[in-house]
Amino acid sequence: MAPAYSSCGCIFVMTLFMFILASSRADAAVTSTAVLITVDQSGNGDYKKIQDAIDSVPSNNNELVYISVKPGVYEEKIVVPADKSFITISGLKANNVIITWNDSGNIFESPTFSVLASDFVGRYLTIQNTFGPGARAVALRVSGDRTSFIGCRILSYQDTLLDDTGRHYYKNCYIEGAVDFIFGNAASLFERCHVHTLSEGDAAITAQRRESPSENTGFTFLGCKITGVRTAVLGRPWGAYSRVIFAFSYMSNVILPQGWDDWGDLSKQSTVFYREYKCYGPGANARKRVEWSGKLTDNEAGIFLTKNMIGGRSWIRSTPTRFKKASTAISNNSTRHA
């Protein structure tokens, strides 16, 4: 197979710029007024804990709620319930708003941060599970639809990001782990993210769980950077029809020449959809890739190179520019819990 990357850096940069520019125009330009809630461990906000701020939002909420989190290390196990949509939780810098917990075991019970609601946005947060090697230890579970994470750091070792169900958008995020650390059956676009593997051998970065050709799910990594400490493969199939695409992405020599693994099931080689498109770097050389992976043609690549693949034109929203005080109900909750 011919190498799947361009040898001309200038062509790559120009092409990537054009795709990103076209993609960014698709962002939903929502500038509605949001209810502002502040979280500050010093006591100078509405709440000292992030979960208390989430709990204050009424069930079946239909207003934009912006929870601004001041710098600090928040030792909390956080859940955004399914009946509390339209919430944004934001720090100013991911390095100074750290949400941390230490749990392991069940992938649905161990997460430090679980998003069950739709229309959620996380911005400039560090979300980590500090359990380390030896067991499943999820940092972030995303099970709501139309969910975005911008400029976040997502850290664990095994099963870091449970990208469970729904349509998701990750932009400028740093995601770190060792074993199957981006996994699930969502339809997700990872744009300009840094993916760092802690694998010491041949562990997989992704374990996508698409189980039927009729499911419109899969992971696309667009303009990303792949680094690591030793060696790893790009993915292995949790589901028989697992679908993962890497496009315009830099791959360091951490990526093993074969690129992909069939998880010991030869039958999945004929059903998975593992593709690369104009990636570059020493780990992107496709000459020794497994024969059941491949390269996208220009025509095939089109749908994966914009936010259209997740319907993002209609739901990815920009940061609110106007804010108002919380309603009486939320203010009363603040008085009781602060």
Side-chain angles (χ1 to χ4, degrees), residues 57-253:
V57 178
S59 295
N60 303 313
N61 170 63
N62 59 8
E63 286 191 285
L64 293 179
V65 176
Y66 192 92
I67 299 175
S68 177
V69 184
K70 303 302 180 183
V73 177
Y74 294 82
E75 295 185 8
E76 300 188 51
K77 194 176 177 75
I78 291 173
V79 177
V80 183
D83 63 350
K84 299 193 176 186
S85 299
F86 303 110
I87 292 176
T88 294
I89 299 179
S90 180
L92 291 176
K93 294 181 179 180
N95 287 332
N96 62 24
V97 176
I98 299 171
I99 302 167
T100 184
W101 201 253
N102 182 334
D103 203 353
S104 66
N106 186 290
I107 59 173
F108 298 109
E109 297 175 1
S110 65
T112 299
F113 198 120
S114 295
V115 179
L116 310 182
S118 296
D119 298 292
F120 175 87
V121 179
R123 302 173 72 250
Y124 308 117
L125 308 169
T126 290
I127 301 168
Q128 66 183 24
N129 188 326
T130 59
F131 184 83
R136 297 170 175 174
V138 177
L140 174 62
R141 170 190 175 188
V142 188
S143 299
D145 192 23
R146 301 181 300 274
T147 296
S148 303
F149 285 86
I150 312 298
C152 291
R153 299 169 69 241
I154 307 165
L155 315 174
S156 187
Y157 190 85
Q158 181 172 341
D159 298 344
T160 301
L161 171 57
L162 172 51
D163 197 51
D164 187 24
T165 60
R167 292 166 293 173
H168 307 152
Y169 178 55
Y170 302 85
K171 183 177 181 180
N172 293 330
C173 291
Y174 176 87
I175 307 169
E176 180 181 281
V179 182
D180 303 332
F181 64 96
I182 302 175
F183 71 111
N185 195 24
S188 296
L189 174 61
F190 298 80
E191 185 173 0
R192 286 181 277 177
C193 291
H194 183 176
V195 177
H196 186 74
T197 172
L198 303 176
S199 168
E200 293 287 345
D202 58 356
I205 291 172
T206 66
Q208 206 280 331
R209 199 181 187 178
R210 184 168 172 255
E211 296 180 306
S212 163
S214 65
E215 290 183 291
N216 190 24
T217 60
F219 303 157
T220 294
F221 296 84
L222 175 62
C224 293
K225 178 181 179 181
I226 315 299
T227 61
V229 299
R230 191 177 171 191
T231 56
V233 294
L234 295 169
R236 59 178 182 169
W238 191 12
Y241 289 84
S242 181
R243 180 161 59 182
V244 181
I245 295 97
F246 285 86
F248 293 118
S249 293
Y250 171 80
M251 298 180 185
S252 72
N253 58 8

